[in-house]
Amino acid sequence: MKERDSYRLGKVQVTITETDKPNKLNVECFDGEYHSEFTVSEYEFKNYRRLMNQRITQAYKNIDEEE
């Protein structure tokens, strides 16, 4: 799968790759310990990227608080 984008959100590395399905992207998140992965549409990635990044940041923050 071809990598579309890669960036960091604090300590979380986010990698966006294309999938076999048309107009779908795979979002992979890894902070060195925890890994999560989900699929978004091209439209969601383009128009709701800020919201997606806020939710990723909050999810990883919640993991740290639970420990």
Side-chain angles (χ1 to χ4, degrees), residues 2 7 13 19 26 29 31 41-42 50 53 56 60 62 67:
K2 181 181 173 189
Y7 55 93
Q13 177 66 40
T19 65
N26 187 60
C29 309
D31 71 350
S41 69
E42 291 264 2
R50 183 172 178 230
N53 288 340
I56 292 168
Y60 277 87
N62 289 343
E67 293 179 348

Side-chain angles (χ1 to χ4, degrees), residues 3-61:
E3 186 174 306
R4 178 74 72 84
D5 197 3
S6 180
Y7 55 93
R8 293 193 70 78
L9 291 173
K11 64 181 182 174
V12 180
Q13 177 66 40
V14 179
T15 305
I16 313 297
T17 54
E18 295 177 354
T19 65
D20 294 335
K21 297 179 183 176
N23 300 317
K24 293 290 184 179
L25 300 172
N26 187 60
V27 180
E28 187 174 357
C29 309
F30 185 62
D31 71 350
E33 186 175 352
Y34 296 101
H35 175 265
S36 63
E37 195 170 331
F38 57 95
T39 304
V40 296
S41 69
E42 291 264 2
Y43 178 84
E44 290 170 319
F45 181 68
K46 188 175 187 179
N47 296 295
Y48 297 103
R49 183 175 176 166
R50 183 172 178 230
L51 177 61
M52 178 186 75
N53 288 340
Q54 289 172 340
R55 290 192 175 167
I56 292 168
T57 301
Q58 186 61 43
Y60 277 87
K61 180 180 175 187

